[in-house]
Amino acid sequence: QVHLVESGGGLVQPGGSLRLSCAASTALRGIGAWAWNRQAPEKQRERVALIDSDDTATYIGSVKGRFTISRANNGSAVYLQMDNLHPDDTGVYYCNWIGEMKIWGQGTQVTVSS
């Protein structure tokens, strides 16, 4: 069974940056995509970024130009660089793999507050 573990969350002031990492216990290869999702307090989980096997990245409108998703070529990790963070970016961030298997990590807390 493959596990995903996120890291890099924390408390940051508005305008600051964080880099999230998600490591797979076994490299994930083949047809599939990596995604980052977040769940704000009392809101539904939403997908914020996705990168497919061709390295094509897509983002929700509220993070375009501020967040960058990237992945390790060997299928072992995915990253989310978050710049110019806003208080509305606060939430638990989850990575997931979307392929023959759909795998989710446990999440990492991001809090943007002064």
Side-chain angles (χ1 to χ4, degrees), residues 3-19:
H3 299 280
L4 303 180
V5 179
E6 300 96 336
S7 61
L11 173 64
V12 63
Q13 292 188 341
S17 297
L18 284 174
R19 179 175 171 84

PDB file of all heavy atoms in Angstrom, residues 3-19:
ATOM      1  N   HIS A   3       1.708   5.149   0.658  1.00  0.00           N
ATOM      2  CA  HIS A   3       1.318   6.232   1.560  1.00  0.00           C
ATOM      3  C   HIS A   3       1.900   7.537   1.060  1.00  0.00           C
ATOM      4  O   HIS A   3       3.005   7.578   0.509  1.00  0.00           O
ATOM      5  CB  HIS A   3       1.832   5.957   2.973  1.00  0.00           C
ATOM      6  CG  HIS A   3       1.292   4.703   3.558  1.00  0.00           C
ATOM      7  ND1 HIS A   3       0.028   4.612   4.113  1.00  0.00           N
ATOM      8  CD2 HIS A   3       1.836   3.468   3.672  1.00  0.00           C
ATOM      9  CE1 HIS A   3      -0.171   3.386   4.540  1.00  0.00           C
ATOM     10  NE2 HIS A   3       0.900   2.664   4.277  1.00  0.00           N
ATOM     11  N   LEU A   4       1.144   8.619   1.272  1.00  0.00           N
ATOM     12  CA  LEU A   4       1.606   9.965   0.951  1.00  0.00           C
ATOM     13  C   LEU A   4       1.726  10.751   2.245  1.00  0.00           C
ATOM     14  O   LEU A   4       0.812  10.708   3.081  1.00  0.00           O
ATOM     15  CB  LEU A   4       0.632  10.674   0.007  1.00  0.00           C
ATOM     16  CG  LEU A   4       0.324   9.994  -1.330  1.00  0.00           C
ATOM     17  CD1 LEU A   4      -0.663  10.842  -2.140  1.00  0.00           C
ATOM     18  CD2 LEU A   4       1.596   9.755  -2.119  1.00  0.00           C
ATOM     19  N   VAL A   5       2.828  11.466   2.401  1.00  0.00           N
ATOM     20  CA  VAL A   5       3.055  12.247   3.614  1.00  0.00           C
ATOM     21  C   VAL A   5       3.389  13.681   3.229  1.00  0.00           C
ATOM     22  O   VAL A   5       4.397  13.924   2.545  1.00  0.00           O
ATOM     23  CB  VAL A   5       4.193  11.650   4.461  1.00  0.00           C
ATOM     24  CG1 VAL A   5       4.411  12.498   5.707  1.00  0.00           C
ATOM     25  CG2 VAL A   5       3.871  10.212   4.846  1.00  0.00           C
ATOM     26  N   GLU A   6       2.544  14.607   3.682  1.00  0.00           N
ATOM     27  CA  GLU A   6       2.776  16.030   3.423  1.00  0.00           C
ATOM     28  C   GLU A   6       3.636  16.640   4.521  1.00  0.00           C
ATOM     29  O   GLU A   6       3.614  16.190   5.663  1.00  0.00           O
ATOM     30  CB  GLU A   6       1.443  16.807   3.363  1.00  0.00           C
ATOM     31  CG  GLU A   6       0.470  16.350   2.295  1.00  0.00           C
ATOM     32  CD  GLU A   6      -0.571  15.386   2.816  1.00  0.00           C
ATOM     33  OE1 GLU A   6      -0.308  14.713   3.839  1.00  0.00           O
ATOM     34  OE2 GLU A   6      -1.661  15.300   2.211  1.00  0.00           O
ATOM     35  N   SER A   7       4.354  17.697   4.158  1.00  0.00           N
ATOM     36  CA  SER A   7       5.130  18.466   5.119  1.00  0.00           C
ATOM     37  C   SER A   7       5.260  19.888   4.602  1.00  0.00           C
ATOM     38  O   SER A   7       4.966  20.166   3.432  1.00  0.00           O
ATOM     39  CB  SER A   7       6.508  17.841   5.341  1.00  0.00           C
ATOM     40  OG  SER A   7       7.242  17.815   4.130  1.00  0.00           O
ATOM     41  N   GLY A   8       5.703  20.788   5.502  1.00  0.00           N
ATOM     42  CA  GLY A   8       5.972  22.161   5.093  1.00  0.00           C
ATOM     43  C   GLY A   8       4.926  23.173   5.502  1.00  0.00           C
ATOM     44  O   GLY A   8       5.103  24.372   5.275  1.00  0.00           O
ATOM     45  N   GLY A   9       3.838  22.732   6.108  1.00  0.00           N
ATOM     46  CA  GLY A   9       2.825  23.674   6.557  1.00  0.00           C
ATOM     47  C   GLY A   9       3.296  24.451   7.778  1.00  0.00           C
ATOM     48  O   GLY A   9       4.366  24.184   8.337  1.00  0.00           O
ATOM     49  N   GLY A  10       2.504  25.433   8.172  1.00  0.00           N
ATOM     50  CA  GLY A  10       2.847  26.215   9.348  1.00  0.00           C
ATOM     51  C   GLY A  10       2.089  27.514   9.384  1.00  0.00           C
ATOM     52  O   GLY A  10       1.120  27.706   8.642  1.00  0.00           O
ATOM     53  N   LEU A  11       2.548  28.404  10.252  1.00  0.00           N
ATOM     54  CA  LEU A  11       1.954  29.732  10.419  1.00  0.00           C
ATOM     55  C   LEU A  11       2.811  30.745   9.675  1.00  0.00           C
ATOM     56  O   LEU A  11       4.042  30.781   9.866  1.00  0.00           O
ATOM     57  CB  LEU A  11       1.886  30.088  11.903  1.00  0.00           C
ATOM     58  CG  LEU A  11       1.451  31.510  12.254  1.00  0.00           C
ATOM     59  CD1 LEU A  11       0.011  31.761  11.802  1.00  0.00           C
ATOM     60  CD2 LEU A  11       1.601  31.741  13.757  1.00  0.00           C
ATOM     61  N   VAL A  12       2.177  31.566   8.867  1.00  0.00           N
ATOM     62  CA  VAL A  12       2.907  32.559   8.093  1.00  0.00           C
ATOM     63  C   VAL A  12       2.074  33.839   8.038  1.00  0.00           C
ATOM     64  O   VAL A  12       0.841  33.790   8.080  1.00  0.00           O
ATOM     65  CB  VAL A  12       3.221  32.027   6.670  1.00  0.00           C
ATOM     66  CG1 VAL A  12       1.949  31.771   5.882  1.00  0.00           C
ATOM     67  CG2 VAL A  12       4.149  32.961   5.918  1.00  0.00           C
ATOM     68  N   GLN A  13       2.749  34.971   7.954  1.00  0.00           N
ATOM     69  CA  GLN A  13       2.045  36.250   7.870  1.00  0.00           C
ATOM     70  C   GLN A  13       1.530  36.476   6.449  1.00  0.00           C
ATOM     71  O   GLN A  13       2.089  35.932   5.486  1.00  0.00           O
ATOM     72  CB  GLN A  13       2.976  37.389   8.269  1.00  0.00           C
ATOM     73  CG  GLN A  13       3.354  37.380   9.739  1.00  0.00           C
ATOM     74  CD  GLN A  13       4.123  38.624  10.124  1.00  0.00           C
ATOM     75  OE1 GLN A  13       4.665  39.324   9.289  1.00  0.00           O
ATOM     76  NE2 GLN A  13       4.150  38.913  11.423  1.00  0.00           N
ATOM     77  N   PRO A  14       0.478  37.267   6.290  1.00  0.00           N
ATOM     78  CA  PRO A  14       0.014  37.611   4.942  1.00  0.00           C
ATOM     79  C   PRO A  14       1.157  38.175   4.104  1.00  0.00           C
ATOM     80  O   PRO A  14       1.968  38.983   4.599  1.00  0.00           O
ATOM     81  CB  PRO A  14      -1.064  38.667   5.206  1.00  0.00           C
ATOM     82  CG  PRO A  14      -1.587  38.328   6.559  1.00  0.00           C
ATOM     83  CD  PRO A  14      -0.393  37.842   7.334  1.00  0.00           C
ATOM     84  N   GLY A  15       1.229  37.735   2.855  1.00  0.00           N
ATOM     85  CA  GLY A  15       2.314  38.133   1.968  1.00  0.00           C
ATOM     86  C   GLY A  15       3.513  37.206   2.014  1.00  0.00           C
ATOM     87  O   GLY A  15       4.421  37.322   1.171  1.00  0.00           O
ATOM     88  N   GLY A  16       3.525  36.294   2.960  1.00  0.00           N
ATOM     89  CA  GLY A  16       4.648  35.368   3.092  1.00  0.00           C
ATOM     90  C   GLY A  16       4.539  34.169   2.156  1.00  0.00           C
ATOM     91  O   GLY A  16       3.613  34.075   1.337  1.00  0.00           O
ATOM     92  N   SER A  17       5.506  33.261   2.290  1.00  0.00           N
ATOM     93  CA  SER A  17       5.592  32.100   1.409  1.00  0.00           C
ATOM     94  C   SER A  17       5.761  30.820   2.223  1.00  0.00           C
ATOM     95  O   SER A  17       6.311  30.844   3.327  1.00  0.00           O
ATOM     96  CB  SER A  17       6.788  32.229   0.462  1.00  0.00           C
ATOM     97  OG  SER A  17       6.648  33.348  -0.391  1.00  0.00           O
ATOM     98  N   LEU A  18       5.294  29.738   1.629  1.00  0.00           N
ATOM     99  CA  LEU A  18       5.537  28.400   2.157  1.00  0.00           C
ATOM    100  C   LEU A  18       5.729  27.449   0.983  1.00  0.00           C
ATOM    101  O   LEU A  18       5.173  27.681  -0.100  1.00  0.00           O
ATOM    102  CB  LEU A  18       4.352  27.899   3.003  1.00  0.00           C
ATOM    103  CG  LEU A  18       4.162  28.457   4.409  1.00  0.00           C
ATOM    104  CD1 LEU A  18       2.847  27.945   4.997  1.00  0.00           C
ATOM    105  CD2 LEU A  18       5.324  28.116   5.313  1.00  0.00           C
ATOM    106  N   ARG A  19       6.486  26.392   1.213  1.00  0.00           N
ATOM    107  CA  ARG A  19       6.649  25.347   0.205  1.00  0.00           C
ATOM    108  C   ARG A  19       6.205  24.032   0.824  1.00  0.00           C
ATOM    109  O   ARG A  19       6.803  23.575   1.801  1.00  0.00           O
ATOM    110  CB  ARG A  19       8.097  25.257  -0.263  1.00  0.00           C
ATOM    111  CG  ARG A  19       8.354  24.174  -1.314  1.00  0.00           C
ATOM    112  CD  ARG A  19       9.788  24.247  -1.797  1.00  0.00           C
ATOM    113  NE  ARG A  19      10.194  23.147  -2.642  1.00  0.00           N
ATOM    114  CZ  ARG A  19       9.981  23.079  -3.948  1.00  0.00           C
ATOM    115  NH1 ARG A  19       9.324  24.055  -4.561  1.00  0.00           N
ATOM    116  NH2 ARG A  19      10.406  22.036  -4.648  1.00  0.00           N
TER     117      ARG A  19
END
